[in-house]
Amino acid sequence: MTSCIDNRCTDVYFNLAAEEYLLKKKKGNFFMVWQSAPSVVIGKHQSVRKETDEAYLRANDIALARRFSGGGAVYHDEGNLNLSFIETVERPDFEYYLRQTVDFLETLGIVAYTDKRMGIYVDGRKVSGSAQCIHKNRVMYHCTLLYSTNLLALDAALCGKGGDGDLLPGSRMLRAVPSVRSTVTNISEHLSPALPLRRFARLLFHFFFEKGDGRIYHFTPGDLKEIERLKAEKYACGEWIYDKAVSVSV
C-alpha cells in the first residue's frame, strides 16, 4: 500500500529534509507532491559555482539548496510540481516511476517520451528531469514537472560557469558532476485549453492516489519535529550546500 502526501509547504529545505526522512526513517511506501518557492536545487555531487549564477540568485531572492540524490541542477518555483516516490523494494526499477508519470500526461492528451537520462520531453523540449537514490532496501525516485514555470528565471538562475566540474571542497570526489543542458518548455503550453495549475495538481494527485490504494498520509508532530531538525542541521546549512561536509543521521 502506498500513502499519498499532498505537501503544501513551499520551503525547499523542509521539503528536501522530508524526502530524506521518509526514505531513511519510515518503512512504508510514499508518494508525495510538493512545490517550492523560487529556488535552485543542485545534485549531491555538483558544484554551486559551475551550476548557478549566485549573483542572480541573491538579487532575485532565489534560494539555493543541495539534495540528497545525484543528478543535475533544477529550478523550482510555484509553477513547477515535484513528485517523490519512496518505497521498499527488492529490485529497484526506476523506469517504472518514469513510465507512470508519462502515463499521467497521456491522460491529458499530451504525447510525451523519455530519454536515457530519464527526462521527459514534449515536442522535443524537456518538461521533467529526475534523480534517484538507494538507501539499504529503500529507493527514492523524484522528478520535476514544469507546468507554468518562469522559464526566463530558470535559464538565468542555472547559468553557471559550466565545464567539466571542479573539485568539491570537503569531498573525496575528484570532480563535480556537470548538468546536461536541455531546451525546456511548460506543460501548460501543450494543453488546449490550458488548465489552472491547481486543477492540474489535483488531477495529478488523484491519478497516483487511485494507484496507491487511496490512503492519505499527514505528517505527525513527531515527523515534523524530525524533519525540522534535519532541515536545520543539514539542508539549510551552508556547509552542506557548499561543500557537503555535513553528515547528519536520521
Side-chain angles (χ1 to χ4, degrees):
M1 177 177 288
T2 298
S3 299
C4 297
I5 302 173
D6 184 6
N7 177 9
R8 298 297 180 93
C9 178
T10 59
D11 180 340
V12 67
Y13 305 116
F14 175 93
N15 293 331
L16 294 173
E19 285 188 314
E20 184 174 342
Y21 172 76
L22 292 171
L23 177 72
K24 291 185 173 182
K25 196 69 172 181
K26 307 294 281 188
K27 295 182 179 180
N29 297 335
F30 295 93
F31 167 72
M32 182 168 69
V33 177
W34 52 283
Q35 293 171 281
S36 293
S39 51
V40 166
V41 182
I42 64 174
K44 183 177 182 179
H45 305 299
Q46 291 197 294
S47 160
V48 171
R49 182 174 65 88
K50 292 290 185 180
E51 300 298 332
T52 71
D53 183 335
E54 293 183 83
Y56 181 84
L57 301 190
R58 289 191 295 269
N60 291 276
D61 197 26
I62 298 172
L64 174 63
R66 184 187 296 276
R67 64 179 178 270
F68 179 70
S69 62
V74 293
Y75 175 79
H76 292 185
D77 65 12
E78 293 86 348
N80 171 71
L81 293 174
N82 301 286
L83 317 183
S84 303
F85 301 83
I86 300 167
E87 298 185 348
T88 300
V89 299
E90 292 183 4
R91 296 182 180 179
D93 181 7
F94 294 117
E95 290 191 3
Y96 170 74
Y97 309 111
L98 178 70
R99 185 67 239 173
Q100 286 192 85
T101 308
V102 171
D103 288 346
F104 164 70
L105 294 176
E106 290 180 348
T107 67
L108 302 178
I110 295 175
V111 179
Y113 65 92
T114 64
D115 67 359
K116 63 182 180 180
R117 294 188 178 90
M118 302 186 73
I120 300 176
Y121 294 78
V122 177
D123 288 344
R125 292 181 290 174
K126 194 171 187 177
V127 298
S128 173
S130 67
Q132 312 82 37
C133 64
I134 299 173
H135 175 72
K136 298 180 180 179
N137 65 338
R138 303 272 286 166
V139 300
M140 178 172 70
Y141 169 93
H142 50 185
C143 68
T144 58
L145 276 181
L146 299 176
Y147 188 76
S148 55
T149 292
N150 183 337
L151 299 183
L152 293 177
L154 179 154
D155 188 60
L158 297 179
C159 189
K161 296 184 181 298
D164 293 329
D166 55 359
L167 295 176
L168 282 178
S171 171
R172 295 180 181 179
M173 291 177 51
L174 293 179
R175 294 286 173 184
V177 176
S179 294
V180 178
R181 300 280 288 184
S182 300
T183 302
V184 297
T185 186
N186 279 313
I187 293 168
S188 61
E189 296 180 15
H190 302 273
L191 292 174
S192 183
L195 300 171
L197 174 62
R198 289 319 310 168
R199 173 62 177 163
F200 177 81
R202 285 196 298 272
L203 290 173
L204 172 70
F205 186 80
H206 283 290
F207 177 84
F208 288 103
F209 175 77
E210 292 176 358
K211 283 182 171 291
D213 300 321
R215 180 183 178 188
I216 299 292
Y217 185 83
H218 299 285
F219 290 124
T220 67
D223 292 336
L224 293 173
K225 180 179 179 181
E226 288 301 306
I227 293 169
E228 288 289 355
R229 182 183 72 85
L230 186 57
K231 166 192 164 181
E233 296 181 8
K234 182 175 181 178
Y235 285 98
C237 179
E239 290 178 299
W240 167 258
I241 296 169
Y242 286 94
D243 64 23
K244 302 196 312 86
V246 175
S247 176
V248 179
S249 60
V250 297

